[in-house]
Amino acid sequence: MRPPLTALHVVQPGDGGVARVVTDVVGAQVDLGMRVAVACPPGTPLAVAAGARGAEVHPWRAGREPGPRLVVESRRIAELVELVRPDLVHAHSAKAGLAARIAVRGRVPTVYQPHAWSFEAVDGVTGALARRWERWAARWTDRVICVSEAERRRGEYAGVRASWSVVHNGVDTARFTTGPDRAAARAALGLPASAPLVVCVGRLCRQKGQDTLLAAWPAVLARVPHARLVLVGDGPAADSLRAAAGRIAAGGNGAWVGFGRAAAGREAAGRAGAWRDSGPVGAGRAASPAGASGAAGGWAAGPVGVGRDSGWVGAPGVAGGWGDGRVGGWVGEPGGRRGGGGLDGPDGRLGDESRDGAVRGRHLARGGGRRDGPGAGRGDEALDGGPSVTFVGAVADPAPWYRAADLVVQPSRWEGMALAPLEAMAGGRPVLLTDVDGARESLPPGHEAHCLVRPDDPAALGAALAGLLQRPTLREALGRQAQRHVLRRFDVRRAGVAIADVYREVTAAPRHELREPISQ
């Protein structure tokens, strides 16, 4: 009887979807009796999760993008190969694929899994170089595993000549099919009980297309005014997405607040300001004429709005506006420091900054304001105070957010096969996807008419979102069908067995003729 295979997974940092794929595959391989090692940045959720699933975890300190440290990063992989002595190296995504194949150069059987091709992310000279690298590195690759047939075809079209296998992504279906129902999930997360809720899970970056989603959102609100959107994840586009959402908000639907991040006690108010739909000063829903300090959302309201320099903001008869932030961000205490600028006019179009206050907004509020003031609960988010768009940052487990959702959207510009839609469907939630690689292969037959739109098309995305939100019976039917589909075809145990079969084929096959020594 042959001893169990030993696989060394090399995973680049910063990609939550790939990390979840690797975690689940690692667990399935351990269950199959394999010895599994994972090289990844230390202290990351992947490192913790892979260790909990039974893998050996080795620190690999690497950046997400190629750079001057690539030589050092590749040398570390070569050292880990000597330490682990794997039967096979499995490199995930472009950066790890680059570093691992430079390190190994065919000395050990090597599997490469792009999880979407690197050349799709860039244009021009950089894109041409990425294609050239992928074609060149194929000489050191015993097998390329693609997560969809579409991803394989794209690689072939780009000139990558390789031995191919297609293994669809899989999910831990038990984790997503069990748990609290929608109402309980919303209560636990502090979300409104009955508002139509759209959830988008993914790294905040150009690939995932959240900018297109935000551009589409006003059209959704025009048809479904009480809809809520939650963006789960973090990434390099986080600040620009928040800024884009603020600009969209300034164009209608009242003023939106609490958008920026705290930075030394400051938060840019941007184009927010006072509410424009309640009273002669365009300000909001505070209980007292001058705006109670955070007690009712903290807006300066009513016809009073006294002195700009006394800690209250807004000249009489002009606008309420921002307070000094120390008691909740919106209405300053009498005699306090100067509030962060009033409003430039009665329409509330331009605020200034909330100075001196510990304002830590992460969401856009459209109805109830903030809860920053005394006795008003936690001050960083007000999920039940009426937000239309909420940024919750990265989470260790997206499952509660899927359970809370009425609809999950993935507006990507490119993919291999996105993991989040499979996870959402496993939980019985309908998904709306852009027609990129893997989308058609992941959807149940017949769902394309309702659940697939062109990428980079805010009008089509907004119309499809609103249409699904307005048809709850259809959503429930799509969700039930999606769950059955994922349970039949996308269980991670099936994916784990398929990848193990690839490993056995690769390690049993005659080795490549081209071998290059590894510099030590």
Side-chain angles (χ1 to χ4, degrees):
M1 184 176 180
R2 292 193 308 171
L5 287 173
T6 298
L8 172 62
H9 293 265
V10 183
V11 191
Q12 74 184 39
D15 194 329
V18 173
R20 297 200 301 277
V21 169
V22 174
T23 298
D24 288 342
V25 167
V26 161
Q29 291 177 345
V30 170
D31 292 343
L32 291 171
M34 293 177 55
R35 178 186 171 217
V36 183
V38 176
C40 66
T44 58
L46 171 60
V48 175
R53 299 296 292 269
E56 304 170 15
V57 179
H58 300 274
W60 179 49
R61 291 175 173 84
R64 183 176 173 84
E65 306 295 336
R69 290 186 52 81
L70 179 62
V71 172
V72 174
E73 294 164 353
S74 296
R75 186 177 298 125
R76 173 58 178 162
I77 294 174
E79 292 170 353
L80 289 175
V81 169
E82 293 297 325
L83 176 66
V84 176
R85 300 259 176 205
D87 298 295
L88 175 139
V89 172
H90 186 161
H92 297 266
S93 299
K95 170 60 183 296
L98 171 66
R101 286 183 285 181
I102 287 175
V104 176
R105 296 183 219 174
R107 183 181 61 169
V108 176
T110 302
V111 168
Y112 171 51
Q113 193 166 357
H115 299 284
W117 292 101
S118 59
F119 48 76
E120 292 191 82
V122 287
D123 298 315
V125 173
T126 306
L129 290 173
R131 286 181 178 85
R132 182 177 298 177
W133 157 252
E134 294 286 5
R135 291 194 293 263
W136 183 64
R139 70 177 68 189
W140 297 324
T141 312
D142 293 83
R143 189 73 56 91
V144 176
I145 296 179
C146 292
V147 294
S148 65
E149 287 288 349
E151 185 182 50
R152 177 190 62 78
R153 290 193 297 270
R154 193 171 298 276
E156 288 183 332
Y157 182 76
V160 180
R161 302 185 183 278
S163 176
W164 305 92
S165 290
V166 174
V167 179
H168 288 146
N169 278 335
V171 297
D172 183 355
T173 53
R175 183 158 66 93
F176 294 101
T177 55
T178 59
D181 62 12
R182 184 183 282 108
R186 290 191 180 195
L189 294 169
L191 294 167
S194 59
L197 179 65
V198 177
V199 170
C200 178
V201 175
R203 190 166 185 261
L204 302 185
C205 61
R206 180 174 176 271
Q207 177 192 357
K208 298 299 182 179
Q210 293 96 344
D211 57 331
T212 304
L213 176 57
L214 289 175
W217 194 244
V220 178
L221 291 177
R223 292 171 57 182
V224 190
H226 301 296
R228 304 298 199 259
L229 172 63
V230 172
L231 299 178
V232 180
D234 204 350
D239 291 338
S240 63
L241 288 171
R242 290 188 173 93
R247 290 192 296 270
I248 294 167
N253 299 309
W256 302 35
V257 300
F259 183 66
R261 289 179 173 175
R266 297 166 62 95
E267 179 187 21
R271 294 185 180 273
W275 290 90
R276 290 178 279 176
D277 60 358
S278 59
V281 297
R285 304 181 180 181
S288 70
S293 301
W299 294 93
V304 183
V306 297
R308 177 182 286 259
D309 291 316
S310 67
W312 301 85
V313 229
V318 177
W322 304 93
D324 75 351
R326 290 184 295 119
V327 296
W330 314 123
V331 185
E333 297 174 309
R337 298 185 183 182
R338 179 182 183 274
L343 301 175
D344 286 352
D347 64 355
R349 285 183 181 273
L350 183 63
D352 185 359
E353 289 187 352
S354 176
R355 307 178 196 276
D356 307 314
V359 183
R360 297 185 299 277
R362 290 188 180 180
H363 66 278
L364 305 171
R366 205 172 61 88
R370 294 282 301 248
R371 298 189 296 175
D372 287 35
R378 74 175 188 259
D380 57 340
E381 296 178 10
L383 293 175
D384 60 354
S388 175
V389 180
T390 302
F391 291 80
V392 301
V395 300
D397 182 10
W401 296 97
Y402 298 135
R403 296 186 189 111
D406 292 300
L407 175 64
V408 173
V409 61
Q410 187 86 62
S412 301
R413 289 185 168 89
W414 69 89
E415 293 283 356
M417 174 180 278
L419 184 68
L422 299 178
E423 295 173 337
M425 288 191 288
R429 298 297 179 262
V431 297
L432 177 60
L433 311 179
T434 46
D435 193 3
V436 295
D437 288 356
R440 291 178 180 269
E441 292 171 58
S442 63
L443 286 173
H447 279 219
E448 293 88 347
H450 302 289
C451 303
L452 203 64
V453 298
R454 294 181 300 273
D456 261 327
D457 189 338
L461 183 63
L465 282 168
L468 286 169
L469 289 178
Q470 290 175 317
R471 301 179 67 182
T473 302
L474 174 62
R475 288 200 314 271
E476 292 299 322
L478 293 172
R480 289 192 298 270
Q481 295 165 10
Q483 187 175 59
R484 291 194 296 267
H485 177 68
V486 169
L487 292 177
R488 284 196 306 266
R489 296 194 54 191
F490 295 101
D491 191 290
V492 71
R493 290 167 294 185
R494 179 175 297 182
V497 169
I499 291 175
D501 288 342
V502 170
Y503 290 178
R504 282 189 282 271
E505 292 172 12
V506 166
T507 55
R511 302 297 299 125
H512 291 191
E513 293 181 4
L514 176 60
R515 291 293 174 269
E516 299 181 25
I518 299 176
S519 300
Q520 300 296 329

